[in-house]
Amino acid sequence: MKTGFLLILTIIAGAQRDDGATAVFETRDRCERVGQLAVEQTLAELSARGAQAGSVWFRCEEVKGRALGDLTH
């Protein structure tokens, strides 16, 4: 088994909430750096679509597993 860090974004816009896993990273540091960028990018996209309110959050969860091929970043 291999340890990785799963990046999960939570987007809250109005009454809607969306949680989604986006990628697995080999280190927590890399996961957090990409998570910060994803938050900024997603907020910019919400703003461009005219959203008046919303928030974007991320978390990096330690996971264990295996993959076919190299799926980690």
Side-chain angles (χ1 to χ4, degrees):
M1 290 288 169
K2 187 173 185 178
T3 299
F5 296 89
L6 182 65
L7 175 60
I8 301 168
L9 286 179
T10 299
I11 303 167
I12 302 170
Q16 295 181 343
R17 175 183 168 150
D18 181 34
D19 290 312
T22 62
V24 176
F25 297 89
E26 290 184 350
T27 66
R28 181 178 296 278
D29 181 61
R30 179 79 175 130
C31 182
E32 290 182 358
R33 283 185 284 147
V34 173
Q36 291 171 5
L37 292 172
V39 166
E40 297 301 325
Q41 181 180 6
T42 304
L43 282 174
E45 290 171 4
L46 286 173
S47 180
R49 285 190 266 162
Q52 298 297 315
S55 62
V56 182
W57 306 88
F58 80 92
R59 65 186 183 276
C60 295
E61 291 187 6
E62 185 174 316
V63 293
K64 293 192 183 297
R66 293 178 37 189
L68 292 174
D70 184 14
L71 298 179
T72 60
H73 300 287

